[in-house]
Amino acid sequence: MRLLLFFFMLHLHNFFQISSPQTLPKNTTGYACNLNQTASSCQTYAFFQAMGPNQLDLASISDLFSVSRAMIAKPSNLTSLTSPLVPNQELFIPLTCTCNSVNTITSLSYAKLNYTIKKGDTFYFVSTNLFHNLTTYQSVETVNPNLVPINLTIGQDVIFPIFCKCPTKTQVQNQVSYLISYVFQPFDTVSSIASRFGSTTTSIVEVNGNDIRPWDTVFVPVSRLPELTQPSPSSVSSDHMSARRGEVIGLEIALGVCGILLILIGGLWTYREYLWRKKLGKNKVDPESKKFEVGVSLMADVSDCLDKYKVYKFEELHEATNGFDERWVIKGSVFKGYIEGKWYAIKKMKWNACEELKILQKVHHFILLISNCLYFLKSLFGDQGRI
């Protein structure tokens, strides 16, 4: 009988420990609340630092926390709603904190934030990379029991519980207005946090206990929000504009080089057309009378221009086409010829093609330059995705 009574009292003791919001050991699923000791909801704040590259403007952060930019700017001591933020810039995010029942015996205190799943998202990624450990993936699983973490679909709405607490009745009587949600960093101490937010070490320990570890959410009791020191919008804008100006100058130089190359190519192409027409006018002769006039000198000129190509003597071409027999004509002045065990298409030219081939070589070289220029532009501005 005494043994049964002992186990009953032990179980009762553990039950009251779990029900108490101040003595509950912290865990990854969230922080307990008791409506008998705190209000059902309250206005509070979370300390948040802007981190790149997708959180360096108020619009992105306000969308993430489902509040307006002005609601962040005012408590954060920001004078501009549109100026870009710098990495690790400090902000106060307003939260509507509520005590929520997650099962028949447990209630957790958090701010409900709706988030739409995007490609590559997981509960862990969003909790750590976007909300910066103001919640945990275990807590997300707890408040979304019908979702399968390993089978999320793009566009699916998920509740992310941002950890927060409302002051108890006793804390309100002691002039505590807010319990600021702050993620404990590896280099933090309780005294440094107290100094940073204008609180006291004793009051922080009373709310959070002594066993505070990195990445735990610490609730800092304050009577009013401390004033955050912010960089001036002009200095942030000037840095941003300098970077943008460098990008624009680089783009202008690259486009200028490409423009000059295009002009040169156009001029060479026009000159090539002029030479072609000029030579065509000078070489209007009877095809039959000049049938065998194209000789070794033309092949030597072509060889000088394009020494990488194999050049055949006129006698070899004459023999390959059976004396340029009309029966061997493919079309027009193009003959089929059999040389060294292979069939070739052999075209009779009525003028010296050396100059034309030189121009074509130059055009080919400039096309390669244009390709390199475009590759340079892609490598320089492809990661920005914008100008």
Side-chain angles (χ1 to χ4, degrees):
M1 187 67 176
R2 289 181 179 178
L3 184 61
L4 181 62
L5 181 62
F6 171 76
F7 280 109
F8 174 76
M9 294 299 293
L10 182 61
H11 176 75
L12 189 63
H13 171 73
N14 291 335
F15 173 79
F16 281 111
Q17 261 199 320
I18 292 174
S19 302
S20 172
Q22 300 298 331
T23 60
L24 176 70
K26 293 187 294 295
N27 54 61
T28 55
T29 59
Y31 297 84
C33 58
N34 189 333
L35 290 176
N36 293 328
Q37 298 184 19
T38 63
S40 59
S41 66
C42 65
Q43 177 71 41
T44 189
Y45 295 89
F47 180 84
F48 188 84
Q49 289 181 292
M51 296 184 184
N54 299 320
Q55 293 184 343
L56 296 182
D57 61 275
L58 274 183
S60 299
I61 298 175
S62 64
D63 290 344
L64 179 64
F65 286 92
S66 301
V67 294
S68 67
R69 289 179 292 176
M71 293 175 67
I72 299 176
K74 185 176 181 180
S76 302
N77 193 30
L78 295 175
T79 57
S80 173
L81 300 180
T82 56
S83 295
L85 305 175
V86 298
N88 298 317
Q89 187 165 346
E90 300 177 350
L91 302 170
F92 280 131
I93 309 297
L95 301 174
T96 300
C97 191
T98 57
C99 187
N100 307 274
S101 176
V102 294
N103 53 49
T104 56
I105 62 171
T106 305
S107 294
L108 298 178
S109 183
Y110 57 83
K112 294 181 180 179
L113 291 186
N114 289 319
Y115 178 85
T116 302
I117 295 296
K118 301 176 181 60
K119 184 178 180 180
D121 281 344
T122 63
F123 289 169
Y124 177 80
F125 174 83
V126 177
S127 300
T128 56
N129 289 54
L130 300 186
F131 289 113
H132 303 175
N133 296 296
L134 284 169
T135 186
T136 62
Y137 74 91
Q138 296 96 330
S139 184
V140 179
E141 293 175 1
T142 299
V143 301
N144 297 275
N146 297 324
L147 299 183
V148 181
I150 60 174
N151 190 29
L152 300 176
T153 58
I154 297 175
Q156 195 169 24
D157 289 330
V158 180
I159 295 176
F160 276 79
I162 303 302
F163 297 148
C164 61
K165 275 189 177 182
C166 294
T168 64
K169 296 176 182 178
T170 303
Q171 290 167 342
V172 172
Q173 293 174 356
N174 292 330
Q175 307 303 314
V176 173
S177 301
Y178 309 108
L179 294 176
I180 300 174
S181 297
Y182 175 81
V183 177
F184 195 86
Q185 303 298 315
F187 52 81
D188 280 330
T189 63
V190 175
S191 59
S192 68
I193 296 174
S195 176
R196 185 176 196 171
F197 292 101
S199 185
T200 65
T201 301
T202 303
S203 60
I204 294 176
V205 172
E206 286 178 353
V207 177
N208 302 276
N210 288 308
D211 185 23
I212 301 176
R213 291 160 292 182
W215 317 124
D216 282 347
T217 299
V218 177
F219 303 103
V220 184
V222 296
S223 57
R224 61 183 180 83
L225 288 179
E227 184 174 310
L228 298 178
T229 302
Q230 302 290 7
S232 61
S234 58
S235 64
V236 175
S237 299
S238 63
D239 292 342
H240 181 70
M241 289 303 295
S242 297
R244 297 279 294 158
R245 193 177 297 112
E247 294 175 7
V248 172
I249 291 174
L251 180 61
E252 289 174 349
I253 293 173
L255 290 177
V257 172
C258 289
I260 293 173
L261 292 177
L262 288 174
I263 292 173
L264 290 175
I265 290 174
L268 288 172
W269 185 264
T270 303
Y271 181 65
R272 178 258 182 196
E273 290 292 323
Y274 166 75
L275 290 178
W276 182 79
R277 293 177 185 276
K278 185 177 178 180
K279 291 177 181 179
L280 184 63
K282 288 183 178 181
N283 291 285
K284 288 184 177 180
V285 295
D286 184 11
E288 293 297 326
S289 63
K290 297 293 181 179
K291 189 171 183 179
F292 298 102
E293 192 172 325
V294 180
V296 179
S297 60
L298 172 61
M299 295 299 105
D301 291 338
V302 173
S303 178
D304 291 338
C305 298
L306 301 173
D307 56 0
K308 66 180 180 180
Y309 298 106
K310 186 171 183 179
V311 179
Y312 294 94
K313 293 181 180 180
F314 177 77
E315 290 78 5
E316 294 176 305
L317 300 178
H318 187 266
E319 181 182 354
T321 58
N322 196 23
F324 291 99
D325 193 327
E326 296 294 335
R327 291 174 297 177
W328 290 50
V329 173
I330 298 175
K331 185 176 182 181
S333 61
V334 180
F335 293 79
K336 64 180 180 180
Y338 191 76
I339 303 176
E340 298 178 355
K342 294 183 180 180
W343 287 98
Y344 293 90
I346 302 172
K347 180 175 175 63
K348 285 180 63 177
M349 306 295 292
K350 298 178 182 179
W351 63 88
N352 191 327
C354 178
E355 292 298 325
E356 181 176 358
L357 292 175
K358 286 182 179 179
I359 293 174
L360 290 176
Q361 270 195 329
K362 292 178 181 179
V363 171
H364 175 68
H365 292 161
F366 278 108
I367 289 174
L368 290 179
L369 287 175
I370 285 293
S371 299
N372 292 334
C373 180
L374 294 176
Y375 177 78
F376 167 76
L377 283 175
K378 181 180 179 182
S379 63
L380 183 61
F381 299 101
D383 291 338
Q384 276 80 3
R386 56 187 173 83
I387 297 175

PDB file of all heavy atoms in Angstrom, residues 21 23 34 65 75 94 115 145 172 193 274 291-292 319-320 328 349 356:
ATOM      1  N   PRO A  21       4.825  26.345 -16.452  1.00  0.00           N
ATOM      2  CA  PRO A  21       5.556  26.881 -17.587  1.00  0.00           C
ATOM      3  C   PRO A  21       6.975  27.264 -17.243  1.00  0.00           C
ATOM      4  O   PRO A  21       7.827  27.314 -18.107  1.00  0.00           O
ATOM      5  CB  PRO A  21       4.737  28.118 -17.984  1.00  0.00           C
ATOM      6  CG  PRO A  21       4.040  28.532 -16.729  1.00  0.00           C
ATOM      7  CD  PRO A  21       3.770  27.268 -15.972  1.00  0.00           C
ATOM      8  N   THR A  23       9.043  25.766 -14.884  1.00  0.00           N
ATOM      9  CA  THR A  23       9.912  24.663 -14.479  1.00  0.00           C
ATOM     10  C   THR A  23      10.005  23.563 -15.520  1.00  0.00           C
ATOM     11  O   THR A  23      10.738  22.617 -15.340  1.00  0.00           O
ATOM     12  CB  THR A  23       9.409  24.047 -13.158  1.00  0.00           C
ATOM     13  OG1 THR A  23       8.079  23.567 -13.346  1.00  0.00           O
ATOM     14  CG2 THR A  23       9.422  25.080 -12.045  1.00  0.00           C
ATOM     15  N   ASN A  34       0.471  28.072 -19.580  1.00  0.00           N
ATOM     16  CA  ASN A  34      -0.628  27.774 -18.671  1.00  0.00           C
ATOM     17  C   ASN A  34      -1.542  28.990 -18.634  1.00  0.00           C
ATOM     18  O   ASN A  34      -1.146  30.068 -18.194  1.00  0.00           O
ATOM     19  CB  ASN A  34      -0.083  27.460 -17.273  1.00  0.00           C
ATOM     20  CG  ASN A  34      -1.163  26.927 -16.352  1.00  0.00           C
ATOM     21  OD1 ASN A  34      -2.343  27.222 -16.528  1.00  0.00           O
ATOM     22  ND2 ASN A  34      -0.752  26.138 -15.352  1.00  0.00           N
ATOM     23  N   PHE A  65       7.313  36.925 -42.290  1.00  0.00           N
ATOM     24  CA  PHE A  65       6.632  36.948 -40.992  1.00  0.00           C
ATOM     25  C   PHE A  65       5.186  37.444 -41.087  1.00  0.00           C
ATOM     26  O   PHE A  65       4.535  37.616 -40.054  1.00  0.00           O
ATOM     27  CB  PHE A  65       7.412  37.822 -40.007  1.00  0.00           C
ATOM     28  CG  PHE A  65       8.669  37.179 -39.495  1.00  0.00           C
ATOM     29  CD1 PHE A  65       9.883  37.385 -40.123  1.00  0.00           C
ATOM     30  CD2 PHE A  65       8.633  36.338 -38.390  1.00  0.00           C
ATOM     31  CE1 PHE A  65      11.047  36.788 -39.649  1.00  0.00           C
ATOM     32  CE2 PHE A  65       9.791  35.744 -37.906  1.00  0.00           C
ATOM     33  CZ  PHE A  65      10.995  35.969 -38.549  1.00  0.00           C
ATOM     34  N   PRO A  75       9.531  49.519 -34.452  1.00  0.00           N
ATOM     35  CA  PRO A  75      10.259  49.029 -33.269  1.00  0.00           C
ATOM     36  C   PRO A  75      11.753  48.828 -33.527  1.00  0.00           C
ATOM     37  O   PRO A  75      12.542  48.771 -32.580  1.00  0.00           O
ATOM     38  CB  PRO A  75       9.571  47.698 -32.959  1.00  0.00           C
ATOM     39  CG  PRO A  75       9.007  47.248 -34.250  1.00  0.00           C
ATOM     40  CD  PRO A  75       8.593  48.494 -34.969  1.00  0.00           C
ATOM     41  N   PRO A  94       7.486  41.999 -34.865  1.00  0.00           N
ATOM     42  CA  PRO A  94       6.306  41.877 -34.008  1.00  0.00           C
ATOM     43  C   PRO A  94       5.630  40.515 -34.179  1.00  0.00           C
ATOM     44  O   PRO A  94       5.487  40.012 -35.292  1.00  0.00           O
ATOM     45  CB  PRO A  94       5.400  43.020 -34.490  1.00  0.00           C
ATOM     46  CG  PRO A  94       5.817  43.259 -35.908  1.00  0.00           C
ATOM     47  CD  PRO A  94       7.285  42.955 -35.980  1.00  0.00           C
ATOM     48  N   TYR A 115       3.298  29.376 -43.866  1.00  0.00           N
ATOM     49  CA  TYR A 115       4.383  29.380 -44.855  1.00  0.00           C
ATOM     50  C   TYR A 115       4.015  28.421 -45.979  1.00  0.00           C
ATOM     51  O   TYR A 115       3.529  27.311 -45.736  1.00  0.00           O
ATOM     52  CB  TYR A 115       5.710  28.952 -44.207  1.00  0.00           C
ATOM     53  CG  TYR A 115       6.862  28.889 -45.170  1.00  0.00           C
ATOM     54  CD1 TYR A 115       7.599  30.019 -45.477  1.00  0.00           C
ATOM     55  CD2 TYR A 115       7.214  27.683 -45.781  1.00  0.00           C
ATOM     56  CE1 TYR A 115       8.659  29.966 -46.371  1.00  0.00           C
ATOM     57  CE2 TYR A 115       8.273  27.627 -46.679  1.00  0.00           C
ATOM     58  CZ  TYR A 115       8.990  28.763 -46.964  1.00  0.00           C
ATOM     59  OH  TYR A 115      10.035  28.702 -47.854  1.00  0.00           O
ATOM     60  N   PRO A 145       0.357  17.725 -37.359  1.00  0.00           N
ATOM     61  CA  PRO A 145       0.378  16.257 -37.261  1.00  0.00           C
ATOM     62  C   PRO A 145      -0.098  15.553 -38.520  1.00  0.00           C
ATOM     63  O   PRO A 145       0.212  14.375 -38.721  1.00  0.00           O
ATOM     64  CB  PRO A 145      -0.568  15.977 -36.085  1.00  0.00           C
ATOM     65  CG  PRO A 145      -1.477  17.170 -36.039  1.00  0.00           C
ATOM     66  CD  PRO A 145      -0.648  18.338 -36.466  1.00  0.00           C
ATOM     67  N   VAL A 172       3.947  40.910 -15.053  1.00  0.00           N
ATOM     68  CA  VAL A 172       3.262  42.157 -15.404  1.00  0.00           C
ATOM     69  C   VAL A 172       3.252  43.110 -14.211  1.00  0.00           C
ATOM     70  O   VAL A 172       3.463  44.325 -14.349  1.00  0.00           O
ATOM     71  CB  VAL A 172       1.837  41.870 -15.903  1.00  0.00           C
ATOM     72  CG1 VAL A 172       1.047  43.168 -16.073  1.00  0.00           C
ATOM     73  CG2 VAL A 172       1.877  41.093 -17.213  1.00  0.00           C
ATOM     74  N   ILE A 193      23.550  39.132 -22.758  1.00  0.00           N
ATOM     75  CA  ILE A 193      22.188  39.323 -23.256  1.00  0.00           C
ATOM     76  C   ILE A 193      21.450  40.351 -22.407  1.00  0.00           C
ATOM     77  O   ILE A 193      20.729  41.217 -22.926  1.00  0.00           O
ATOM     78  CB  ILE A 193      21.436  37.977 -23.269  1.00  0.00           C
ATOM     79  CG1 ILE A 193      22.093  37.017 -24.255  1.00  0.00           C
ATOM     80  CG2 ILE A 193      19.968  38.175 -23.621  1.00  0.00           C
ATOM     81  CD1 ILE A 193      21.519  35.621 -24.229  1.00  0.00           C
ATOM     82  N   TYR A 274      31.910  43.743-102.194  1.00  0.00           N
ATOM     83  CA  TYR A 274      32.420  44.644-103.222  1.00  0.00           C
ATOM     84  C   TYR A 274      33.460  43.929-104.089  1.00  0.00           C
ATOM     85  O   TYR A 274      33.422  44.006-105.327  1.00  0.00           O
ATOM     86  CB  TYR A 274      33.029  45.883-102.557  1.00  0.00           C
ATOM     87  CG  TYR A 274      33.884  46.724-103.483  1.00  0.00           C
ATOM     88  CD1 TYR A 274      33.295  47.542-104.454  1.00  0.00           C
ATOM     89  CD2 TYR A 274      35.270  46.681-103.388  1.00  0.00           C
ATOM     90  CE1 TYR A 274      34.073  48.305-105.306  1.00  0.00           C
ATOM     91  CE2 TYR A 274      36.057  47.428-104.246  1.00  0.00           C
ATOM     92  CZ  TYR A 274      35.461  48.234-105.205  1.00  0.00           C
ATOM     93  OH  TYR A 274      36.225  48.988-106.042  1.00  0.00           O
ATOM     94  N   LYS A 291      38.132  26.671-120.355  1.00  0.00           N
ATOM     95  CA  LYS A 291      37.768  25.480-119.594  1.00  0.00           C
ATOM     96  C   LYS A 291      38.921  24.932-118.787  1.00  0.00           C
ATOM     97  O   LYS A 291      38.754  24.466-117.672  1.00  0.00           O
ATOM     98  CB  LYS A 291      37.253  24.422-120.571  1.00  0.00           C
ATOM     99  CG  LYS A 291      36.642  23.213-119.885  1.00  0.00           C
ATOM    100  CD  LYS A 291      35.969  22.324-120.904  1.00  0.00           C
ATOM    101  CE  LYS A 291      35.301  21.169-120.227  1.00  0.00           C
ATOM    102  NZ  LYS A 291      34.614  20.289-121.197  1.00  0.00           N
ATOM    103  N   PHE A 292      40.159  25.013-119.357  1.00  0.00           N
ATOM    104  CA  PHE A 292      41.299  24.416-118.667  1.00  0.00           C
ATOM    105  C   PHE A 292      42.301  25.475-118.218  1.00  0.00           C
ATOM    106  O   PHE A 292      43.465  25.186-118.006  1.00  0.00           O
ATOM    107  CB  PHE A 292      42.014  23.407-119.582  1.00  0.00           C
ATOM    108  CG  PHE A 292      41.146  22.262-119.984  1.00  0.00           C
ATOM    109  CD1 PHE A 292      40.578  22.224-121.237  1.00  0.00           C
ATOM    110  CD2 PHE A 292      40.902  21.232-119.103  1.00  0.00           C
ATOM    111  CE1 PHE A 292      39.776  21.172-121.602  1.00  0.00           C
ATOM    112  CE2 PHE A 292      40.092  20.177-119.473  1.00  0.00           C
ATOM    113  CZ  PHE A 292      39.523  20.134-120.713  1.00  0.00           C
ATOM    114  N   GLU A 319      42.093  14.579-113.779  1.00  0.00           N
ATOM    115  CA  GLU A 319      41.998  13.135-113.908  1.00  0.00           C
ATOM    116  C   GLU A 319      40.850  12.572-113.078  1.00  0.00           C
ATOM    117  O   GLU A 319      40.144  11.662-113.499  1.00  0.00           O
ATOM    118  CB  GLU A 319      43.324  12.500-113.466  1.00  0.00           C
ATOM    119  CG  GLU A 319      43.331  10.977-113.583  1.00  0.00           C
ATOM    120  CD  GLU A 319      44.649  10.387-113.088  1.00  0.00           C
ATOM    121  OE1 GLU A 319      45.583  11.167-112.772  1.00  0.00           O
ATOM    122  OE2 GLU A 319      44.734   9.149-113.018  1.00  0.00           O
ATOM    123  N   ALA A 320      40.610  13.160-111.866  1.00  0.00           N
ATOM    124  CA  ALA A 320      39.554  12.655-110.984  1.00  0.00           C
ATOM    125  C   ALA A 320      38.174  12.852-111.579  1.00  0.00           C
ATOM    126  O   ALA A 320      37.246  12.077-111.297  1.00  0.00           O
ATOM    127  CB  ALA A 320      39.651  13.359-109.629  1.00  0.00           C
ATOM    128  N   TRP A 328      29.972  13.897-115.490  1.00  0.00           N
ATOM    129  CA  TRP A 328      30.345  13.858-114.070  1.00  0.00           C
ATOM    130  C   TRP A 328      29.854  15.097-113.312  1.00  0.00           C
ATOM    131  O   TRP A 328      30.223  15.326-112.175  1.00  0.00           O
ATOM    132  CB  TRP A 328      31.875  13.748-113.944  1.00  0.00           C
ATOM    133  CG  TRP A 328      32.374  12.409-114.379  1.00  0.00           C
ATOM    134  CD1 TRP A 328      32.096  11.742-115.541  1.00  0.00           C
ATOM    135  CD2 TRP A 328      33.252  11.571-113.634  1.00  0.00           C
ATOM    136  NE1 TRP A 328      32.733  10.537-115.595  1.00  0.00           N
ATOM    137  CE2 TRP A 328      33.461  10.400-114.425  1.00  0.00           C
ATOM    138  CE3 TRP A 328      33.888  11.664-112.422  1.00  0.00           C
ATOM    139  CZ2 TRP A 328      34.273   9.351-114.010  1.00  0.00           C
ATOM    140  CZ3 TRP A 328      34.704  10.619-112.019  1.00  0.00           C
ATOM    141  CH2 TRP A 328      34.894   9.476-112.785  1.00  0.00           C
ATOM    142  N   MET A 349      36.126  27.129-110.408  1.00  0.00           N
ATOM    143  CA  MET A 349      36.032  28.556-110.109  1.00  0.00           C
ATOM    144  C   MET A 349      36.445  29.351-111.338  1.00  0.00           C
ATOM    145  O   MET A 349      37.384  28.973-112.057  1.00  0.00           O
ATOM    146  CB  MET A 349      36.930  28.914-108.924  1.00  0.00           C
ATOM    147  CG  MET A 349      36.676  28.078-107.674  1.00  0.00           C
ATOM    148  SD  MET A 349      35.059  28.337-106.959  1.00  0.00           S
ATOM    149  CE  MET A 349      35.247  30.009-106.386  1.00  0.00           C
ATOM    150  N   GLU A 356      38.887  36.205-101.417  1.00  0.00           N
ATOM    151  CA  GLU A 356      37.601  35.887-100.786  1.00  0.00           C
ATOM    152  C   GLU A 356      37.792  34.956 -99.603  1.00  0.00           C
ATOM    153  O   GLU A 356      37.202  35.138 -98.531  1.00  0.00           O
ATOM    154  CB  GLU A 356      36.671  35.246-101.800  1.00  0.00           C
ATOM    155  CG  GLU A 356      35.294  34.911-101.228  1.00  0.00           C
ATOM    156  CD  GLU A 356      34.355  34.357-102.277  1.00  0.00           C
ATOM    157  OE1 GLU A 356      34.764  34.274-103.452  1.00  0.00           O
ATOM    158  OE2 GLU A 356      33.230  34.011-101.911  1.00  0.00           O
TER     159      GLU A 356
END
